[in-house]
Structures are given as C-alpha cells and as structure tokens.
Amino acid sequence: GAAGALAGSLASAAGQVPDKQLLYMSHLHGDVSELQQQKAQLLRSLDQEKEARAKDLKAHQVVADKLESLEAHHARAERLEDGEDAATNLAYLKHCVLTYVQTTDGATHKRLLPVLAQILHLTTAEVQTAMRAIDAATPPPPGSRWMGALSSLVAAGGGGGSGGGGRGGAGADTSSGAGPGNTNGAANG
C-alpha cells in the first residue's frame, strides 16, 4: 500500500530530487517496512495472548464450579451427619429409600422425590434431573387423555364422524321416527 506508493513516487521523482534526499527517502521506506512487519508480529502475539487468556479463564471457571459443587456437597454431608436429628433422619431416609425402591409406581416416586430431596438437601437441578428420569421411566397412566378419548370412541361404537358408523346404521334417525321415506320429518300416523 503506502510503501509501494512511496517506491513509485521515488522512482518518478529520481530525476528531480537530489541524491541526498533520495537516499534519505529510501532509508525511510526501509524503516516503514520494518515497522509494519513489527506491527504485524505484535498483533499476532496479542491474538495468541488473548486466546491463552480465554483458555485460562475457562479453565479457572471450571475449577471454580467444581469447588463450589464440592463445598455444597461437603456442607450437606456435615448437616446430615452432625445434626441433632441425624439418627431420626437416617431412619426416615432408610424408610423412604426402601419404599421408593420397592415400588414401580411413578406417582409414588413423584410423591417421594420431594421428601428425599428435603432429607438429602438436593439442589433444584438435582431434583429436576430426577423428575425427568421418573417421567421418562413411567408409562402413561391408563386414564391419560389419549387413552380416555380412545375408550369413549370405542364405547360409542366407532364414533359419529361422516362415516355413519353409529348403531342405527347409515342415515337412520331412530329418535324422531323419520326414515328415508318420510320427507316432511314427521312420523306417519
């Protein structure tokens, strides 16, 4: 860019500029090129330092998160072990865990999860993870919406719709007495 323009102007002005000034301009051109190379190297070094700093910050955050998790776990363990009601908590926990393990009913699992969460001092994230696992492992109950709709459809004999699959046959209306031959809608007689 600027160095090329300077070189071009030096060449065109060679006949008009004294040798001393031409030599000075040539040295300036060399200095400018060297400074541009140094600038490019410094920018590359700066980018490398920024990347290294970003990696260090990310690693520091991971360590800080792990430390926070360990401190919370340690505090929970101390509360469970050292509390005045530690024996009662342990017996109640034992009862809840045995009940939880011995049943396959999702509703019971959902009912016991808040109790276990309270006793074990689970975090919100841990409770949400457990609830998602319960939901994934629990089949839909027999009275769920789609099952209820299917049951009512079957009980109605295949359901009305435009197919005429009801009990009275296609086009029959047994409630008013009007049949296919009656055009005025009233019963004959």
Side-chain angles (χ1 to χ4, degrees):
L6 182 61
S9 66
L10 286 176
S12 68
Q16 300 170 354
V17 178
D19 288 338
K20 195 176 195 183
Q21 285 181 341
L22 188 59
L23 184 62
Y24 177 70
M25 290 171 77
S26 175
H27 283 291
L28 284 178
H29 174 66
D31 290 346
V32 167
S33 295
E34 185 179 322
L35 288 172
Q36 287 175 338
Q37 289 174 357
Q38 287 176 358
K39 177 184 172 185
Q41 178 62 33
L42 288 172
L43 288 174
R44 283 191 297 271
S45 296
L46 180 62
D47 287 342
Q48 291 171 352
E49 287 297 321
K50 284 181 181 178
E51 287 176 16
R53 176 132 170 90
K55 286 179 183 178
D56 288 345
L57 286 173
K58 187 175 181 180
H60 176 72
Q61 186 61 43
V62 167
V63 170
D65 290 345
K66 285 182 181 179
L67 178 62
E68 182 179 335
S69 174
L70 287 172
E71 285 173 344
H73 178 72
H74 179 71
R76 270 189 282 177
E78 280 184 347
R79 282 193 306 268
L80 287 175
E81 291 174 1
D82 298 335
E84 333 175 326
D85 300 326
T88 305
N89 283 346
L90 186 59
Y92 189 54
L93 175 61
K94 178 181 174 182
H95 170 74
C96 289
V97 168
L98 285 175
T99 304
Y100 188 92
V101 171
Q102 291 171 348
T103 185
T104 57
D105 178 37
T108 303
H109 285 167
K110 285 183 177 183
R111 192 179 72 247
L112 285 173
L113 183 60
V115 175
L116 291 170
Q118 181 67 31
I119 295 170
L120 297 174
H121 302 281
L122 298 180
T123 65
T124 304
E126 291 167 334
V127 172
Q128 289 172 348
T129 300
M131 190 58 75
R132 282 192 298 270
I134 291 169
D135 288 341
T138 305
S144 65
R145 271 193 302 215
W146 67 271
M147 201 61 152
L150 182 62
S151 297
S152 65
L153 198 70
V154 170
S162 61
R167 294 182 193 192
D173 184 359
T174 57
S175 63
S176 67
N182 189 351
T183 58
N184 66 3
N188 290 338

